[in-house]
Amino acid sequence: MPEFLISLTNIVKNYKTMRALDGIDLGIKPGVTGLLGPNGAGKSTLIKLLLGLVRITSGTGNILGHDLGSHGRQVRNLVGYMPEDDCYIPGMSGVEVVQFAACLSGLPTIEALRRAHEILDFCGMKQERYRIIDTYSTGMRQKIKFASAIVHDPQFLILDEPTSGLDPEEREALLARVRMLWTQCGKSVLISTHILPDVQAICDEVVILSQGKIRLNESLSKLSQTKSPSFSLRILGNEETFVKNMKQNGFPNLPNSEGDLVFESNDPRLAEIIWNTARESETKIHSMIPARNSLEEIFMATVKEATHANS
Ligand code: ADP
């Protein structure tokens, strides 16, 4: 497998006088990559450029073995794209929409129908696939968009805000399917989202874009190492004994202004140790919340730094 599926060198994209992308150098590895950035960062422009839908102003790049800006049609056959906005023809049933997407990629009608059913099964769509799409809930429409993006068996998937508007179960199911596409089918994915926990749940790599520049491109595991896991707790029962036993086990309580108990450690067994100590101390855990999301902290700090640098 090549080290990078996509590599971009010094890409600039201007819309008249507006510079949307400002010297992008980026390599996207096989796996699941999260693309984060505030509104106006240039995420959509970057996606359109990868799909060959907008022309670059300058720079060079390669996407799945094709020069960026050429062979747009071939690239689009290798890439599945799930746009943020709804895109369906009113009056069609769910299965017809997915079949239509398969036909657009060149499959004959019957084969396209067979693929559409196969993919809708994978997406957990039951008899509702025969209903007119106009009557669907947001979650069902997201499933149809997702199915349409993967029906032609693309090598690489670009998902734009795939979980927006989903309820927690639907979100979890969709993320699990995306992860499965990589782990079981070897499909690489670029997922653009505002929902940081989505990135944390399924991504291997994180790219942060702000004001048209790449501000961070790092593996999630490396980023997570930058901060030790920590938990904020409330205890029912003899808190003093619990704190004393945690200290004896090598985990002193950190100062906290909100009256919670906070424990931080590099030890991956920290959560288990907290539960065991609570049991030994004959106390109960009332609440146990992971301390502030480190990816959120990294995102906020990166974007803030970029804003300062440009002001
Ligand atoms: P994001 O997807 O991160 O919100 P976009 O790529 O949509 O960012 O936009 C990046 C910048 O380019 C923004 O300032 C936006 O206003 C501008 N822009 C995007 N599309 C166009 C366009 N077609 N014409 C002019 N400016 C545009």
Side-chain angles (χ1 to χ4, degrees):
M1 213 179 260
E3 190 188 358
F4 295 115
L5 298 175
I6 294 173
S7 51
L8 305 177
T9 309
N10 203 15
I11 297 288
V12 171
K13 171 64 191 170
N14 295 335
Y15 293 108
K16 296 194 175 137
T17 56
M18 164 75 212
R19 179 154 293 193
L21 296 178
D22 190 8
I24 298 281
D25 290 316
L26 177 65
I28 295 185
K29 293 181 187 158
V32 184
T33 301
L35 176 62
L36 295 170
N39 286 335
K43 302 182 298 297
S44 306
T45 303
L46 180 62
I47 289 173
K48 285 182 199 155
L49 191 141
L50 296 176
L51 292 167
L53 298 175
V54 298
R55 270 180 204 281
I56 52 175
T57 305
S58 63
T60 54
N62 188 286
I63 168 161
L64 307 170
H66 293 278
D67 284 344
L68 194 70
S70 65
H71 310 116
R73 189 177 286 265
Q74 283 99 315
V75 169
R76 283 194 290 278
N77 274 338
L78 298 173
V79 177
Y81 173 49
M82 177 179 175
E84 181 180 3
D85 298 326
D86 272 341
C87 52
Y88 60 87
I89 302 174
M92 285 174 107
S93 68
V95 67
E96 281 169 343
V97 171
V98 183
Q99 181 191 17
F100 184 61
C103 286
L104 286 181
S105 75
L107 286 181
T109 321
I110 299 295
E111 175 60 7
L113 184 61
R114 192 194 64 74
R115 278 287 299 167
H117 279 295
E118 193 176 287
I119 293 299
L120 287 169
D121 289 344
F122 171 71
C123 292
M125 196 82 165
K126 304 220 159 52
Q127 294 306 308
E128 59 271 24
R129 71 183 66 177
Y130 299 108
R131 253 171 51 198
I132 299 299
I133 194 167
D134 314 49
T135 66
Y136 280 11
S137 65
T138 309
M140 286 180 196
R141 282 208 294 270
Q142 291 291 87
K143 274 185 193 169
I144 293 294
K145 268 201 285 178
F146 182 65
S148 302
I150 59 176
V151 71
H152 62 300
D153 197 25
Q155 271 184 32
F156 188 79
L157 262 180
I158 299 178
L159 310 177
D160 198 353
E161 302 285 351
T163 60
S164 93
L166 298 187
D167 67 32
E169 287 98 58
E170 288 169 336
R171 169 184 170 262
E172 214 166 282
L174 189 125
L175 291 177
R177 280 181 201 111
V178 174
R179 189 67 205 163
M180 205 188 288
L181 283 176
W182 164 239
T183 54
Q184 293 183 21
C185 314
K187 310 287 182 197
S188 290
V189 184
L190 179 68
I191 166 168
S192 171
T193 180
H194 281 100
I195 306 176
L196 269 55
D198 286 2
V199 172
Q200 217 146 23
I202 60 162
C203 290
D204 305 298
E205 300 281 322
V206 184
V207 173
I208 298 181
L209 190 64
S210 169
Q211 300 182 345
K213 289 185 197 283
I214 301 292
R215 307 294 174 169
L216 182 135
N217 182 6
E218 192 55 271
S219 76
L220 194 63
S221 57
K222 240 191 189 153
L223 284 179
S224 321
Q225 279 166 16
T226 58
K227 193 174 188 312
S228 311
S230 59
F231 292 96
S232 168
L233 308 185
R234 293 224 168 139
I235 292 288
L236 297 175
N238 194 338
E239 185 176 302
E240 222 172 284
T241 312
F242 173 80
V243 171
K244 195 175 95 218
N245 288 343
M246 280 298 286
K247 195 172 175 185
Q248 267 171 7
N249 289 335
F251 302 94
N253 175 29
L254 299 180
N256 172 266
S257 56
E258 283 155 25
D260 292 344
L261 301 174
V262 174
F263 297 96
E264 183 180 292
S265 170
N266 278 325
D267 192 327
R269 296 168 308 138
L270 178 60
E272 194 188 319
I273 290 165
I274 289 172
W275 283 107
N276 289 342
T277 310
R279 203 175 310 118
E280 284 162 20
S281 319
E282 293 179 357
T283 53
K284 285 200 171 121
I285 293 175
H286 174 254
S287 64
M288 178 164 157
I289 303 165
R292 240 183 114 205
N293 182 338
S294 66
L295 183 59
E296 188 181 326
E297 278 176 343
I298 291 162
F299 177 74
M300 297 307 283
T302 307
V303 171
K304 207 162 149 192
E305 212 174 279
T307 311
H308 278 301
N310 283 351
S311 60

